[in-house]
Amino acid sequence: MLTLNLSKLNGFIPEDYLVSRQEKLAQAAQMLADHSGPGGDFTGWVRLPQDYDKEEFSRIQRAAAKIQKQSKVLVVIGIGGSYLGARAVIELLCSPHYNLKQKETPDIFFAGNGLSTDALLELIQLIGDRDFSVNIISKSGTTTEPAVAFRIFKAMLEEKYGKEGAKERIYATTDKARGALKGLADTEGYEEFVVPDDVGGRYSVLTAVGLLPIAVAGVDITQLMGGACQAMEELAVGGLDNLAWQYAAARHALYQAGKKVELLACYEPNFRFFAEWWKQLYGESEGKEGKGLFPASVEFTADLHSMGQYIQQGERLMFETVVKFAPKGEFTIPDDPANVDGLNFLSGKPLAFVAEQAMRGTILAHVDGGVPNVLVELPAISASVVGYLIYFFEYVCGLSGYLLEVNPFDQPGVEAYKKNMFALLGKPGYEDMRAELEAKL
Ligand code: PA5
């Protein structure tokens, strides 16, 4: 399903970069398999494509069908790991213009992923008087951004449909036992889906967190899980031929050779949000204890006309990982008898041929400019290909975290802003801290 070309790392990292890490990779793979490494309590995602809750999976499909029948709009409320995966997959498989398309499935809007008043007001206007449902997603059930958004959309639903009617349109995805949202969902009688205890937010796209909104968009989630399952089975076989081992070793060697930024590039505009998901996955997993590659992303060829300059000649601190999908269809460049633009040497050629040469030329230019390149090639974008890629990146991330000797499954740094925000908002219990912060501001 996936091929990995690491030949453009030659000369940037020692030749034995993989063999020299073989033992550590084997240990890392073992820790992921038996949940014995740092953060092992959060490695439920490793076997998830096979060991998921089948009863809940069917319920997700039924709930998606109900939402599709009942509503013209689904508002998905969540932030971070409770948001990015669903949006990434919907945009990659259905298009960033999904809501603009003629379709049988509801429009899907994402809320609760920020605190912008303008964005909220705009969303309320976009929903208008259309029928809508809400999927509130929060593992902790206490995150401020989604909690505030849920207050608003819950009140809107209750005003429009009454309390009983609203109950039929609210789906809560949260912890199976704890948290304010769990308590509220139980009390109000919302349909509930579970964020498994052993799966952290950024690894949760293949749980109900991602699957319900993705299914509402009409994506075949069985195919998505099937692709992930194929990756799981292939990557569980350890050794130097394992593509995840190879990529994780290369990333680690590049980091040790002074490349501090990994730039994820793709030539598909649909990939933009997938890169956002990938950035959270790697940024939160590796960026701690003063260590970690900084995950950044670009969309080519568009960004070759903006960030291209820096990549070619700026600080030599990055390497590039290019994700390349085979095109789904074909488009042939038309002839112009007048050849006004001088482009007739391309007449009759597929646009994909031009894209391919752009990619090859760019890789060579960047490598010449001191930017090592990793090329990941995949078949045309489909649910199973995307499922495979999700698992591939998750698994490489787990291995990479262990190579770096950090816990890839915690995120202690995310708490700092939350504490300050609570104190400044006047949350009970934070009074002393508030005075201290106000004095500093
Ligand atoms: O990866 C993570 O754990 C975070 O990004 C969380 O998903 C995010 O903070 C949202 O948390 P919650 O689902 O508890 O509202």
Side-chain angles (χ1 to χ4, degrees):
M1 180 87 86
L2 181 150
T3 60
L4 190 64
N5 183 340
L6 300 168
S7 64
K8 298 291 180 290
L9 303 182
N10 294 346
F12 292 102
I13 50 179
E15 273 177 26
D16 68 346
Y17 72 90
L18 178 56
V19 174
S20 63
R21 286 171 179 78
Q22 185 172 6
E23 204 177 312
K24 284 200 104 182
L25 282 161
Q27 281 164 7
Q30 192 58 43
M31 289 193 285
L32 290 177
D34 62 17
H35 317 291
S36 60
D41 288 348
F42 292 95
T43 47
W45 58 270
V46 176
R47 300 279 320 158
L48 191 69
Q50 197 156 62
D51 296 347
Y52 60 92
D53 180 341
K54 311 289 184 305
E55 184 278 327
E56 185 183 65
F57 192 83
S58 303
R59 231 161 30 81
I60 290 171
Q61 289 171 313
R62 286 198 297 278
K66 182 175 160 193
I67 294 168
Q68 288 168 344
K69 199 159 157 223
Q70 217 175 25
S71 290
K72 293 281 177 223
V73 175
L74 172 68
V75 180
V76 181
I77 301 176
I79 194 166
S82 293
Y83 154 59
L84 290 161
R87 185 159 177 190
V89 173
I90 291 170
E91 293 208 1
L92 184 52
L93 281 166
C94 309
S95 162
H97 310 300
Y98 165 81
N99 284 346
L100 296 175
K101 286 172 123 174
Q102 290 284 342
K103 59 192 182 304
E104 299 291 308
T105 50
D107 282 358
I108 298 179
F109 293 108
F110 293 90
N113 51 65
L115 292 166
S116 160
T117 305
D118 291 359
L120 180 74
L121 291 172
E122 183 191 62
L123 175 52
I124 293 171
Q125 218 174 35
L126 285 169
I127 298 170
D129 60 4
R130 290 185 290 170
D131 283 319
F132 74 102
S133 297
V134 166
N135 180 200
I136 165 75
I137 308 168
S138 178
K139 185 175 185 179
S140 63
T142 54
T143 310
T144 309
E145 293 91 334
V148 168
F150 184 53
R151 264 193 181 207
I152 294 159
F153 288 101
K154 176 176 176 285
M156 280 171 60
L157 281 173
E158 288 177 352
E159 195 185 314
K160 191 171 164 97
Y161 302 104
K163 220 165 166 48
E164 277 307 301
K167 194 181 100 180
E168 290 301 310
R169 292 171 176 276
I170 297 176
Y171 301 82
T173 307
T174 189
D175 189 271
K176 73 172 185 309
R178 289 179 300 265
L181 178 58
K182 170 68 186 161
L184 181 67
D186 284 352
T187 312
E188 303 276 339
Y190 304 148
E191 174 148 21
E192 293 177 37
F193 296 97
V194 173
V195 191
D197 281 344
D198 55 0
V199 180
R202 59 190 174 277
Y203 292 84
S204 70
V205 55
L206 299 176
T207 71
V209 170
L211 294 178
L212 179 58
I214 291 168
V216 172
V219 171
D220 184 339
I221 56 173
T222 306
Q223 294 276 328
L224 189 74
M225 292 302 270
C229 194
Q230 186 185 335
M232 183 193 83
E233 283 166 359
E234 287 175 16
L235 302 179
V237 182
L240 299 182
D241 291 337
N242 183 303
L243 298 184
W245 285 36
Q246 293 177 9
Y247 182 30
R251 295 178 79 253
H252 190 244
L254 286 159
Y255 179 67
Q256 291 198 324
K259 301 298 183 190
K260 303 298 182 199
V261 175
E262 180 173 12
L263 195 56
L264 189 71
C266 187
Y267 287 71
E268 300 299 329
N270 284 16
F271 193 79
R272 191 179 282 236
F273 239 87
F274 198 89
E276 294 302 314
W277 168 81
W278 174 89
K279 284 192 272 192
Q280 187 206 1
L281 181 65
Y282 280 80
E284 264 190 3
S285 300
E286 294 189 298
K288 51 198 70 162
E289 298 175 33
K291 299 192 255 189
L293 280 160
F294 183 86
S297 64
V298 281
E299 182 199 315
F300 289 162
T301 60
D303 289 336
L304 290 171
H305 299 260
S306 56
M307 294 307 291
Q309 171 58 37
Y310 191 103
I311 300 167
Q312 193 67 47
Q313 294 183 329
E315 281 255 22
R316 303 296 73 197
L317 46 63
M318 62 180 73
F319 71 94
E320 220 169 41
T321 297
V322 176
V323 176
K324 161 92 165 54
F325 297 98
K328 276 192 204 128
E330 198 176 288
F331 184 87
T332 307
I333 297 175
D335 189 50
D336 173 10
N339 197 17
V340 188
D341 52 15
L343 283 179
N344 269 359
F345 67 99
L346 292 178
S347 297
K349 297 247 167 44
L351 185 59
F353 167 78
V354 182
E356 175 86 17
Q357 304 324 312
M359 183 188 82
R360 295 172 76 207
T362 304
I363 289 174
L364 290 178
H366 289 178
V367 171
D368 280 349
V371 179
N373 186 277
V374 174
L375 178 61
V376 176
E377 287 188 275
L378 292 141
I381 299 169
S382 70
S384 61
V385 167
V386 173
Y388 192 102
L389 189 59
I390 287 170
Y391 191 89
F392 176 75
F393 277 137
E394 287 181 347
Y395 194 74
V396 171
C397 189
L399 292 178
S400 297
Y402 286 152
L403 283 185
L404 204 58
E405 296 180 352
V406 298
N407 175 353
F409 308 112
D410 67 359
Q411 54 285 328
V414 179
E415 294 310 309
Y417 104 90
K418 286 191 195 168
K419 280 193 208 140
N420 286 355
M421 180 176 74
F422 287 150
L424 293 170
L425 285 169
K427 188 173 177 172
Y430 289 79
E431 293 77 4
D432 290 351
M433 199 174 156
R434 181 182 187 180
E436 228 176 86
L437 291 176
E438 290 290 6
K440 274 195 208 167
L441 282 168

